[in-house]
Amino acid sequence: QSDDERMKLDIVPYCSVIDAWARSGEKGAAQRAEEILKRVESVHFNRSIDGVKPTTVLYNSLINAWAKSGDCDAPQKVDDLLKRMESSNDADLQPDTMTYNAAIHTWANSGNRYAPYRAEDILNRMKDLYAHGNIRVKPNVRTYNSVIDAWSMSSDANAADRAEQIMNCMKDEFEMTGSLDIRPDSFTYSAAIYALVKSDVKGAAQRADKIFREMDQLAFVGDRKCEPITQTFDALIDVWGRSSEKNSAEQAESMFHEMMSRYKAGNKNVKPSIRSCNKVLHAWSQSANEDAPKRAELFFRYIESLSEGNDEVDIKPDIVTYNTLIDTWANSSREDASQRAEEILLKLKDNMCNVTPDLITYSVTMKALTKSNDVNAAALRCEELLAEVTSIYRQGAKHMKPNEVIYKTMIKIWSSSTLPQSNDKLDKLWKLVVT
């Protein structure tokens, strides 16, 4: 064996252990992986074992461990590792495409407000190095997709525009070079649509629909890699659901049924999930249509029919489904809103749905009670629900601790009450909000 072959064999166990820590999901996994790298560096420095030395593969494994850790300091840790690699004179330690992709992925999932800018900086660094002859760092579709992902998760005012610009840059480069490495795919287009979900730009839904139609056309002419997938439809439903345009909820539901139709026709890449259904219900919960609660109820019954095994898709309502349905009633001006909200809550409490109510269930039910014509009765009922929640919390369910949203809902309803104890209740509630 050559020295290079022996080195690769000797370093493999270390990479395997780091990869195992990365996949473990355990708290402190990245720190344990870093300790292994330090051990390798120590062995190499002391030359105690021939052939054991830090390599690009080893560093990539560690960067991947940080990328999966979810630690708040992961981006900085990855940046530090990247700088060490870039400043090294060792040819076996230079970063490659996988290195930079993992770094971009770390930033994209960090939740840091500067994440998309840093992700773009890394992409531009790769493009510059590649343009100057470093073929090891050629950006590929995963590189671009991760940067678009970073923008799609950002609340930056320019996020949607930047995501679409990067997607268009990919398309232009692919057309000029013909390189399959950077050909946009379903994830590229879907991420660009997701960037429009949080966007306040005018015509966001139409822009998303235009991207979707482009995907459909590309798939129609034979580019199957651009065919809409589940994530595409989920993003589209989301965009329409958050749109203030007329009939937006109808459009969201229409996209769901288009998705279901394609799935039933044999396209297994567009399988709907309960998450897809919940997005449709959310669209109705935000709708100004006076029939929104009725439409939400009809769609909810449709979901229930799917859970009964009468269809090809086995989808069961979850707690988000029920909470969103209650919220649809709570957001309406219908007189029967509080009654229907209570009916759903009671159904959950009686365990008739195999779903346990959570803090949000109680919160949106109280919200619905604020719409009651009998304000005094509603205030007293909210007081009972708060007592229920507090009791459940004191029995050990830490996730049921009453929060500011519940207290402010109580303040709203007691502020409208004419009961003699109203002022005392308000004083106590304001103290809870302040503390």
Side-chain angles (χ1 to χ4, degrees), residues 174-298:
F174 173 61
E175 288 177 10
M176 284 189 297
T177 65
S179 174
L180 297 177
D181 288 343
I182 55 169
R183 180 173 66 173
D185 60 15
S186 300
F187 296 100
T188 312
Y189 289 96
S190 299
I193 293 174
Y194 262 119
L196 287 159
V197 171
K198 295 182 181 179
S199 174
D200 292 327
V201 298
K202 189 176 180 180
Q206 282 80 6
R207 282 172 62 175
D209 192 64
K210 183 181 177 182
I211 295 171
F212 171 74
R213 300 302 166 193
E214 182 180 335
M215 295 176 73
D216 250 357
Q217 181 59 30
L218 288 168
F220 179 75
V221 298
D223 190 351
R224 309 302 292 181
K225 284 187 173 292
C226 291
E227 188 174 36
I229 55 178
T230 298
Q231 292 93 321
T232 316
F233 280 96
D234 280 354
L236 264 174
I237 293 168
D238 239 350
V239 174
W240 279 112
R242 294 169 188 268
S243 171
S244 59
E245 295 183 34
K246 188 177 180 181
N247 299 325
S248 57
E250 287 88 341
Q251 288 287 349
E253 186 169 339
S254 175
M255 291 310 306
F256 175 87
H257 290 302
E258 172 67 18
M259 180 186 191
M260 180 65 81
S261 175
R262 295 188 186 197
Y263 179 73
K264 288 182 178 179
N267 186 349
K268 302 308 178 185
N269 292 322
V270 291
K271 184 178 182 179
S273 66
I274 190 58
R275 183 181 178 191
S276 312
C277 297
N278 291 342
K279 289 177 184 294
V280 175
L281 284 176
H282 180 265
W284 283 115
S285 77
Q286 301 302 304
S287 174
N289 188 324
E290 62 181 16
D291 290 329
K294 284 186 177 180
R295 294 293 300 269
E297 289 281 356
L298 285 172

Side-chain angles (χ1 to χ4, degrees), residues 13-280:
Y14 293 96
C15 295
S16 298
V17 174
I18 290 178
D19 286 338
W21 276 114
R23 290 192 302 270
S24 72
E26 291 185 25
K27 188 176 180 180
Q31 288 84 349
R32 293 293 299 272
E34 186 118 30
E35 290 172 9
I36 295 168
L37 173 65
K38 289 177 181 178
R39 200 178 310 159
V40 171
E41 289 178 328
S42 175
V43 168
H44 175 61
F45 180 78
N46 295 313
R47 299 186 181 279
S48 53
I49 302 177
D50 289 339
V52 172
K53 59 177 289 189
T55 64
T56 299
V57 175
L58 188 67
Y59 265 74
N60 286 353
S61 295
L62 178 55
I63 289 174
N64 188 48
W66 279 113
K68 293 181 177 180
S69 70
D71 288 8
C72 60
D73 58 346
Q76 188 57 57
K77 291 286 187 180
V78 168
D79 272 0
D80 291 344
L81 290 166
L82 192 55
K83 287 175 185 176
R84 281 159 63 180
M85 295 176 76
E86 288 179 329
S87 62
S88 174
N89 294 320
D90 189 342
D92 292 324
L93 198 53
Q94 292 303 301
D96 58 14
T97 300
M98 289 181 65
T99 314
Y100 287 110
N101 283 355
I104 291 172
H105 179 72
T106 307
W107 276 101
N109 290 282
S110 68
N112 188 297
R113 61 182 296 191
Y114 301 109
Y117 293 97
R118 179 59 184 139
E120 262 201 72
D121 285 343
I122 298 171
L123 168 61
N124 291 332
R125 171 71 171 154
M126 293 175 73
K127 292 169 73 172
D128 183 60
L129 288 169
Y130 180 69
H132 285 82
N134 188 346
I135 61 173
R136 285 167 50 90
V137 298
K138 180 183 179 183
N140 57 25
V141 66
R142 183 178 177 186
T143 315
Y144 283 96
N145 286 356
S146 292
V147 177
I148 296 173
D149 251 347
W151 281 113
S152 76
M153 290 184 272
S154 170
S155 56
D156 190 286
N158 299 312
D161 289 336
R162 286 303 303 144
E164 199 165 340
Q165 287 165 9
I166 294 166
M167 179 184 73
N168 289 333
C169 177
M170 283 181 76
K171 288 155 61 176
D172 291 342
E173 288 190 33
F174 173 61
E175 288 177 10
M176 284 189 297
T177 65
S179 174
L180 297 177
D181 288 343
I182 55 169
R183 180 173 66 173
D185 60 15
S186 300
F187 296 100
T188 312
Y189 289 96
S190 299
I193 293 174
Y194 262 119
L196 287 159
V197 171
K198 295 182 181 179
S199 174
D200 292 327
V201 298
K202 189 176 180 180
Q206 282 80 6
R207 282 172 62 175
D209 192 64
K210 183 181 177 182
I211 295 171
F212 171 74
R213 300 302 166 193
E214 182 180 335
M215 295 176 73
D216 250 357
Q217 181 59 30
L218 288 168
F220 179 75
V221 298
D223 190 351
R224 309 302 292 181
K225 284 187 173 292
C226 291
E227 188 174 36
I229 55 178
T230 298
Q231 292 93 321
T232 316
F233 280 96
D234 280 354
L236 264 174
I237 293 168
D238 239 350
V239 174
W240 279 112
R242 294 169 188 268
S243 171
S244 59
E245 295 183 34
K246 188 177 180 181
N247 299 325
S248 57
E250 287 88 341
Q251 288 287 349
E253 186 169 339
S254 175
M255 291 310 306
F256 175 87
H257 290 302
E258 172 67 18
M259 180 186 191
M260 180 65 81
S261 175
R262 295 188 186 197
Y263 179 73
K264 288 182 178 179
N267 186 349
K268 302 308 178 185
N269 292 322
V270 291
K271 184 178 182 179
S273 66
I274 190 58
R275 183 181 178 191
S276 312
C277 297
N278 291 342
K279 289 177 184 294
V280 175

Side-chain angles (χ1 to χ4, degrees), residues 1-12:
Q1 288 182 328
S2 67
D3 288 342
D4 283 348
E5 288 173 330
R6 189 173 67 253
M7 178 199 73
K8 288 175 183 176
L9 286 172
D10 289 340
I11 207 66
V12 164

